[in-house]
Amino acid sequence: MKLKAILFGTFVAVTAIYANAQEETPQERECKRMRLFAGEELKIKNFAGATSFYIKAEQICGGFDKANYDRMIQTLRNTIASESDKVRKAAYIDTLIDAFDRVEKAGHFDKASSAVRATFILQSTKLNRKKADELYIQSTQFGTALNEAQVSMYYYNIYTMYSDSKTPAEEKVVLKKRLISEYFTLSKLITDAKMSVKSQENLTTYFNNVVRTCDDILPDLAGFMSALPQEVEAKKKAVNNFMTLLKDKGCTGSKEYEMLVDTIIKIDNSIDAVLAKAQLQKVKKQYANTITTLNQAKGMSTDATQKEEIEFMILEIQYHDQDAYNTAYRTAMGINGANRNKALLIAANCVAKTANSCGASTFDRKCNFLYAAELAQRGGDGGAAARFRANGPTESDKFENNNPSSVSLSCWGVSVSLK
């Protein structure tokens, strides 16, 4: 009884297969056959052969479903990767671009592959920069991170469209804005993803070809500012990016930079914003206001190293810009940390520059140079110490003043040894 049941089941199965085969058209059978051949070629990693069969199958089948299109696209990519002949590689890239178009038309294109497709478009003989640009944008909107090669090609593509003499003026304005904004976005991506230094250098080269001087950016800045994001963090980031750009191009004395500083202080009254205000005041030679603002920033900081840096910034203004040598000396003597030696050298110079007005006699005034030499030596500059010491009292001066062992310098509240 069981044997009859088995034989009956086998008969039914065979009959069903035969009936199904009878229902298939010659076109459907050929379609399957081509896909089968493609699969066999893939087993032996003959990607070019598999590509040929997939292309034939697509034509015979009248198109594919998503799964078969995905297999065909990946096979084409493998074929391109394994092809060493430049002419054949270019032909396969063109074939892939056409295949992507058909996949999209059939409604099966995966947006996660947008950047890949864009990059192949830029390598094809059927170059379509606008289409590639759309795809790169689509990729970022979809949330797919660009890899290192794609970052460079995406930015270069924008730059090339901007540089093209055939690009209308109104499009150039838009592209220039994108070159500036994307420079910062992609630079951050390069840093965060730990990409090579070369990637950043490529971006910077293209960027600097567009924005060389203040004149290349300042006329457009008002337009950029009017289109700032409304979300606070995004707005802060955009403003800080523009401030960095103007600093790099030496535009901190411009009214546009002042506008940026005012904007950042309104939306982010942080230490960085206050320091930016101080820098602006310094450029305008408002040195007293600059020091007041720097002291404000110092009071806001909780970082010891940052406080030391701010103190040294104040010292440099007092010494280099205000010529306030007595004040600078007092500031310098209070500085510690990494800037201690540089501060001591400034203190030494302050003492030397005021030597002729400090002391009741010529001898006393010459002794200031000995103190300057001592400070320079403590600051690690033996050469400066020797130069200062050479301006100090001679042996004859010491003899004429009864060879004192030390002299008190009232201006600095110290005594120097003459031994």
Side-chain angles (χ1 to χ4, degrees):
M1 187 68 178
K2 289 182 179 179
L3 179 60
K4 287 183 179 180
I6 292 171
L7 290 173
F8 178 74
T10 304
F11 172 76
V12 171
V14 170
T15 303
I17 293 169
Y18 178 75
N20 186 56
Q22 287 292 93
E23 290 174 6
E24 281 186 345
T25 66
Q27 180 182 0
E28 289 170 334
R29 287 197 296 274
E30 187 65 8
C31 168
K32 285 184 178 179
R33 194 167 72 93
M34 290 297 107
R35 293 207 315 268
L36 176 64
F37 288 163
E40 292 301 312
E41 294 296 331
L42 287 177
K43 289 178 182 178
I44 59 173
K45 298 189 182 303
N46 181 9
F47 300 119
T51 291
S52 176
F53 283 120
Y54 271 129
I55 296 298
K56 290 177 183 177
E58 183 193 10
Q59 293 171 344
I60 295 169
C61 300
F64 285 151
D65 58 14
K66 186 178 187 309
N68 278 300
Y69 267 129
D70 285 348
R71 281 191 281 272
M72 184 178 78
I73 291 295
Q74 187 57 54
T75 299
L76 270 163
R77 291 180 61 183
N78 289 340
T79 304
I80 292 165
S82 59
E83 181 57 68
S84 58
D85 183 84
K86 291 182 179 180
V87 175
R88 286 197 295 269
K89 184 186 283 282
Y92 281 126
I93 290 173
D94 289 347
T95 301
L96 176 61
I97 298 307
D98 290 339
F100 269 128
D101 290 343
R102 296 193 299 276
V103 171
E104 184 174 39
K105 189 175 181 180
H108 298 313
F109 179 66
D110 185 354
K111 290 182 180 178
S113 299
S114 295
V116 171
R117 183 180 173 189
T119 302
F120 277 117
I121 288 174
L122 294 180
Q123 297 175 69
S124 72
T125 62
K126 301 179 179 183
L127 185 60
N128 185 337
R129 293 196 180 279
K130 286 190 176 181
K131 179 65 176 179
D133 187 51
E134 290 170 6
L135 287 165
Y136 279 127
I137 293 172
Q138 182 173 277
S139 179
T140 56
Q141 291 174 341
F142 188 73
T144 306
L146 302 179
N147 63 33
E148 191 160 351
Q150 291 164 353
V151 165
S152 292
M153 294 190 76
Y154 170 43
Y155 195 74
Y156 175 70
N157 191 48
I158 302 172
Y159 169 74
T160 303
M161 290 190 294
Y162 170 80
S163 303
D164 191 342
S165 59
K166 296 179 182 178
T167 301
E170 60 273 17
E171 286 186 29
K172 280 183 177 285
V173 172
V174 175
L175 290 168
K176 184 176 182 180
K177 288 182 180 179
R178 286 184 59 202
L179 281 166
I180 292 170
S181 62
E182 290 288 42
Y183 176 75
F184 294 111
T185 301
L186 296 175
S187 293
K188 184 178 185 304
L189 173 60
I190 288 171
T191 301
D192 292 346
K194 294 181 171 57
M195 295 180 185
S196 69
V197 175
K198 184 64 177 175
S199 291
Q200 184 62 60
E201 289 175 348
N202 288 340
L203 254 64
T204 302
T205 297
Y206 303 140
F207 178 80
N208 285 337
N209 283 336
V210 176
V211 182
R212 296 184 182 90
T213 66
C214 295
D215 292 337
D216 291 327
I217 182 62
L218 294 181
D220 299 313
L221 194 59
F224 295 146
M225 293 295 289
S226 65
L228 284 175
Q230 293 306 306
E231 197 272 318
V232 175
E233 287 303 315
K235 190 173 186 178
K236 280 164 51 177
K237 182 179 178 182
V239 174
N240 279 318
N241 283 341
F242 283 127
M243 289 174 65
T244 299
L245 172 57
L246 295 194
K247 286 179 192 174
D248 290 343
K249 300 301 176 184
C251 313
T252 51
S254 66
K255 67 180 187 302
E256 288 83 0
Y257 184 78
E258 185 172 2
M259 175 179 65
L260 290 169
V261 171
D262 289 341
T263 302
I264 199 66
I265 287 175
K266 286 176 185 176
I267 61 177
D268 178 36
N269 193 28
S270 64
I271 294 176
D272 289 340
V274 174
L275 288 173
K277 179 181 177 181
Q279 185 176 34
L280 175 63
Q281 290 170 327
K282 183 180 178 183
V283 169
K284 291 186 169 186
K285 299 183 179 181
Q286 299 171 356
Y287 301 124
N289 289 338
T290 305
I291 291 173
T292 299
T293 303
L294 287 173
N295 277 318
Q296 178 188 347
K298 180 183 171 184
M300 294 169 67
S301 178
T302 58
D303 183 281
T305 300
Q306 185 178 46
K307 285 187 175 186
E308 290 169 0
E309 289 297 327
I310 293 172
E311 287 174 348
F312 192 72
M313 289 165 67
I314 292 171
L315 170 60
E316 289 192 304
I317 292 170
Q318 291 169 339
Y319 178 72
H320 293 293
D321 300 309
Q322 291 184 314
D323 295 337
Y325 301 125
N326 288 339
T327 304
Y329 169 83
R330 290 193 295 273
T331 301
M333 296 305 291
I335 288 179
N336 293 301
N339 294 313
R340 176 63 174 167
N341 284 353
K342 288 188 289 185
L344 285 171
L345 290 174
I346 289 178
N349 279 296
C350 288
V351 171
K353 285 179 178 292
T354 57
N356 291 331
S357 59
C358 179
S361 66
T362 300
F363 179 74
D364 288 343
R365 290 191 285 273
K366 283 187 176 183
C367 287
N368 284 289
F369 288 103
L370 297 180
Y371 181 45
E374 179 187 321
L375 291 171
Q377 196 69 52
R378 285 162 56 188
D381 192 337
R387 289 192 296 273
F388 290 137
R389 202 172 290 113
N391 288 313
T394 63
E395 292 301 317
S396 176
D397 293 329
K398 294 175 187 178
F399 178 78
E400 291 173 2
N401 286 272
N402 300 316
N403 288 318
S405 59
S406 65
V407 172
S408 177
L409 302 176
S410 58
C411 294
W412 315 115
V414 298
S415 293
V416 291
S417 172
L418 274 76
K419 292 183 177 179

